[in-house]
Amino acid sequence: THMPAVMTPTQLLVFTVVVTFYFPGVATLGALVKEIGGKLTALAAAYTFVLATALSIAVRLVSHAALLP
């Protein structure tokens, strides 16, 4: 799919930030559980979720202020 035909530039920026900073996947979760335990894995997952959400909100606000559609 041609992404600009489906998403606005602002949506593409926010999507890129979320994909970059959010937790990499189930395999990583499994490896972390084995290495550092369940509680620290949950903390790491929560941290990356909050970080990705906060950064994506910031990107959205900045791009909206810059008048990107």
Side-chain angles (χ1 to χ4, degrees):
T1 303
H2 189 0
M3 293 298 280
V6 191
M7 299 173 80
T8 66
T10 298
Q11 290 172 327
L12 286 169
L13 280 172
V14 171
F15 174 75
T16 302
V17 168
V18 170
V19 168
T20 301
F21 288 98
Y22 190 59
F23 216 79
V26 176
T28 303
L29 279 174
L32 281 175
V33 167
K34 289 179 82 172
E35 293 291 326
I36 63 175
K39 287 183 181 180
L40 287 176
T41 299
L43 181 64
Y47 174 74
T48 57
F49 177 76
V50 170
L51 178 66
T53 302
L55 289 174
S56 64
I57 289 170
V59 167
R60 171 69 174 108
L61 292 174
V62 168
S63 67
H64 183 70
L67 300 176
L68 287 176

